[in-house]
Amino acid sequence: MKFYFPDSQDQVSPTYDFIHDEYSPLRVRQRDDRYAHEVLAQPAYQGLLVSKAIVDGTIQGVGKYSMPQRQRLYRLGVRGFFRLPDDVVTLGDCGAFTYVNEPEPPYSVNEVIDFYSRCGFDAGVSIDHVILGYRRPGSNGEDIPEDWKERRLISLHFAEKFLAAVHDHGTPFEPVGAAQGWDPDSYADSVKQLQDMGYRRVALGGMVPLKTPDIVACLAAIAGIRVPETELHLLGITRIESMNEFAELGVTSFDSTSSFRQSFMDDRDNYHTTDTTYSAIRVPQVDGNISLKKAILAGKVAQADAVVAERESLKRLRDYEAKKCSLKAALNAVLAYEELLGVKKSYADMYGRTLKDAPWRICECGLCAKHGIEMVIFRGSERNKRRGFHNLSVLADKMKSLHAASPRLERIASG
Ligand SMILES: [Zn+2]
């Protein structure tokens, strides 16, 4: 099972100064900043997924690349641009969720093939159009919206044109057909049609909102028509507890940003370990916190008090790490700042647990040993992204233990 990490230009600066919270004046972003695969002690992903919409931008402006970055990607190719090790494979796609509200995908087959070829991807997904809805089998009486049927046909039509063009141009990347559907039968029919066209790799799209049993139901229906050589990729899905079952139903790869993004998007599960999750400790920067700024402007909080509480929180946390103060003293400093911030529901218990267990002290991701308690401080992108990278490394560990736990997969692996 291969895990592809979806690129969103997430990098960290190795020379960032955590004590003064500033970048080195000598930092040159494109030269010095590092991707997850360059700073983690062990490889965390076997593949990198890059979406055309993230690189080229869309009408809604979801692009993450500046003009010079885009030009450099095209010039150096995906492997050179990301400084990828040889064993990490690359997959391009269109980023169908970014144009889900448009009546049709905004790209032509030639534009997409040009993107995949110029960047030198190992494989590329055909243009598809996400169906925003799912019907459980047996939920009769509801007609399937015309729009859903149309989106499935649009995806199949593009897949056919894409494969024909790939064959005509003799492009160097492996074509991957995108399958959309709204229930097990429609997904299975899409996969069957893609197989009949000649695809031997199929990416299943639009499943992100689906409950795990619904994904399994779709995979089971697909298993009924799938030829043994056809490999399945789950777009945007990590359900670690079901990965063995997915593998038995033909899934050989998946991608997801959720482990990474939970480090700074989740309300509590920010720092992962192989058997639990912890809350990161919020110590926002006074200048960077919008609600705090409002409170200061409204005269509810004195700016000087906020700055003192912020500094005291960081100092106490570092003292705790250096065994120069007690857990209680560190926690009290953080909670005093929390109160000043006007947090509605206190994180006291969760923070206490994080500090008591101190999971970063035994982590071998490579970043925790280097940055210590900074890894669990929820503050600014340099800390938050490092914690996200750490989570990727934990996901890799979980995947390894899954493989070890599955005798069937071991049999497959040993041929
Ligand atoms: Zn770690």
Side-chain angles (χ1 to χ4, degrees), residues 271 363-365 367-368 375 390:
Y271 181 98
C363 177
E364 294 176 353
C365 74
L367 290 167
C368 287
M375 292 293 288
H390 153 93

Side-chain angles (χ1 to χ4, degrees), residues 67-190:
M67 179 64 92
Q69 279 178 316
R70 196 177 310 145
Q71 286 169 342
R72 224 154 41 79
L73 170 63
Y74 283 128
R75 194 172 69 243
L76 299 176
V78 64
R79 201 156 279 287
F81 179 80
F82 285 95
R83 302 179 292 264
L84 284 176
D86 290 343
D87 54 357
V88 173
V89 290
T90 57
L91 177 66
D93 84 347
C94 291
F97 265 104
T98 61
Y99 52 79
V100 69
N101 295 319
E102 306 293 320
E104 280 178 29
Y107 305 124
S108 72
V109 166
N110 281 340
E111 278 171 339
V112 171
I113 286 186
D114 181 61
F115 172 66
Y116 296 161
S117 304
R118 279 172 68 194
C119 296
F121 287 103
D122 296 313
V125 183
S126 63
I127 303 171
D128 61 337
H129 212 13
V130 175
I131 295 168
L132 282 178
Y134 184 76
R135 292 279 159 81
R136 289 216 171 105
S139 50
N140 282 334
E142 293 173 290
D143 289 334
I144 303 305
E146 280 307 312
D147 173 58
W148 294 9
K149 295 180 191 165
E150 207 170 295
R151 283 169 180 247
R152 193 176 82 95
L153 293 179
I154 286 174
S155 304
L156 288 168
H157 181 63
F158 269 123
E160 195 168 17
K161 279 172 64 179
F162 179 76
L163 193 62
V166 164
H167 287 154
D168 284 354
H169 296 309
T171 49
F173 62 85
E174 180 190 13
V176 179
Q180 294 286 346
W182 56 79
D183 66 3
D185 286 347
S186 56
Y187 269 111
D189 184 68
S190 292

